[in-house]
Amino acid sequence: MAKAAEKTTLSTTVYQKLRSDIIQGEFRPGEKLRIEGIASTYGVGSNAVREALSRLSSERLVERHEQRGFSVPTIALDDWRVLVRTRCWLETRALEEAISHRDERWEEGIVLALHRLSRYRSDLPAERAAWEDAHRNFHRALLANCGSPWLLEFCEILADHASRYISISHAFGRMPRNGQSEHEALMKAVLNGTPQEACALLVAHYTKTLQTIEELFTEERFAALATGPGSTRTAEFTE
């Protein structure tokens, strides 16, 4: 029993580490994920890595190739557009539900999450990780009261995939953006405005990133990460 628990703990640890490294862009899009190499780097057995890769493939954070192992999913502008559009659909629905079920605890949670986010700056490398956690928690707080664990889970999955694109984009620099003012405006609309106003600001918040990436694409900044010979479907993103 103890050995089984230890194996489960190790597999979960490897899964969480590998998942984080993929989302944070430690592995290049399209890179082959070699089990023995990862096992050596992480200092674990190959079985734990294989189990982690299988779990991640079910979340679409890893691609499984029949008879050819695993790789990091490629990135593409078309895929990013679909991701943003789907995220807007789901999160605006969740936000509407959260607003309709509003209570003091939920409202206080949003205010506290924004306060914690304001402590960090996304443009300072030393604070980036803390900012990312606080930023993710702020968006979680907005939706927390929607009443549907299923909807929240789907939103989390999409947020993970968005984070992977965003993390990769950091290597290419970023255009100036006042994210804090966007978050403050969003909070005010959620707490004091109409659901329509709040949802419109949430969509605008996500759409700004998409527009920035489209502009960078026209500059051919992402040619080094093309999905294949002659392909124009590559991508990197900002906040």
Side-chain angles (χ1 to χ4, degrees):
M1 182 71 79
K3 288 185 177 180
E6 181 179 341
K7 180 180 178 182
T8 299
T9 300
L10 178 60
S11 297
T12 300
T13 300
V14 174
Y15 158 78
Q16 292 172 339
K17 170 62 174 171
L18 186 55
R19 185 174 183 276
S20 176
D21 284 348
I22 290 172
I23 291 174
Q24 295 301 317
E26 296 297 326
F27 295 94
R28 289 174 59 87
E31 180 177 347
K32 185 175 178 59
L33 295 169
R34 304 182 185 280
I35 293 175
E36 295 303 326
I38 295 172
S40 176
T41 299
Y42 289 5
V44 298
S46 59
N47 285 341
V49 175
R50 190 174 288 105
E51 290 178 16
L53 289 169
S54 294
R55 288 180 64 180
L56 289 166
S57 68
S58 69
E59 299 174 15
R60 300 178 65 181
L61 286 169
V62 162
E63 290 184 348
R64 183 198 295 266
H65 306 282
E66 202 66 36
Q67 306 297 324
R68 293 188 295 119
F70 302 88
S71 68
V72 179
T74 56
I75 54 176
L77 181 57
D78 288 345
D79 292 338
W80 172 245
R81 285 170 171 158
V82 171
L83 174 58
V84 173
R85 185 166 67 247
T86 307
R87 194 179 183 195
C88 288
W89 286 341
L90 288 182
E91 289 203 19
T92 51
R93 178 60 178 172
L95 185 57
E96 288 175 347
E97 290 296 306
I99 292 172
S100 71
H101 298 138
R102 67 189 322 136
D103 55 32
E104 287 187 5
R105 183 176 180 180
W106 172 69
E107 293 180 346
E108 290 170 356
I110 294 172
V111 174
L112 179 58
L114 182 63
H115 172 68
R116 288 173 174 165
L117 178 58
S118 69
R119 296 175 179 173
Y120 308 106
R121 288 178 51 179
S122 61
D123 59 339
L124 297 179
E127 296 184 5
R128 180 70 200 187
W131 182 91
E132 287 177 349
D133 286 341
H135 180 249
R136 185 69 170 269
N137 286 333
F138 171 74
H139 282 274
R140 285 183 179 130
L142 294 176
L143 312 180
N145 211 34
C146 80
S148 172
W150 285 101
L151 186 52
L152 290 176
E153 183 175 346
F154 293 144
C155 290
E156 280 286 301
I157 291 172
L158 294 177
D160 284 338
H161 284 268
S163 293
R164 185 173 78 95
Y165 276 87
I166 292 166
S167 295
I168 295 169
S169 74
H170 295 159
F172 295 87
R174 300 169 47 175
M175 295 184 179
R177 180 173 176 183
N178 193 343
Q180 186 64 20
S181 66
E182 291 178 35
H183 294 128
E184 289 176 359
L186 182 54
M187 181 194 71
K188 291 177 181 177
V190 169
L191 298 183
N192 304 313
T194 66
Q196 292 76 18
E197 291 170 339
C199 289
L201 283 178
L202 183 63
V203 170
H205 181 62
Y206 291 149
T207 301
K208 280 188 177 182
T209 300
L210 175 59
Q211 293 171 337
T212 298
I213 298 314
E214 289 174 332
E215 292 172 4
L216 293 175
F217 252 85
T218 63
E219 300 171 7
E220 298 183 352
R221 297 283 297 278
F222 312 123
L225 294 173
T227 58
S231 173
T232 58
R233 300 183 63 212
T234 1
E236 252 52 43
F237 309 103
T238 59
E239 175 180 323

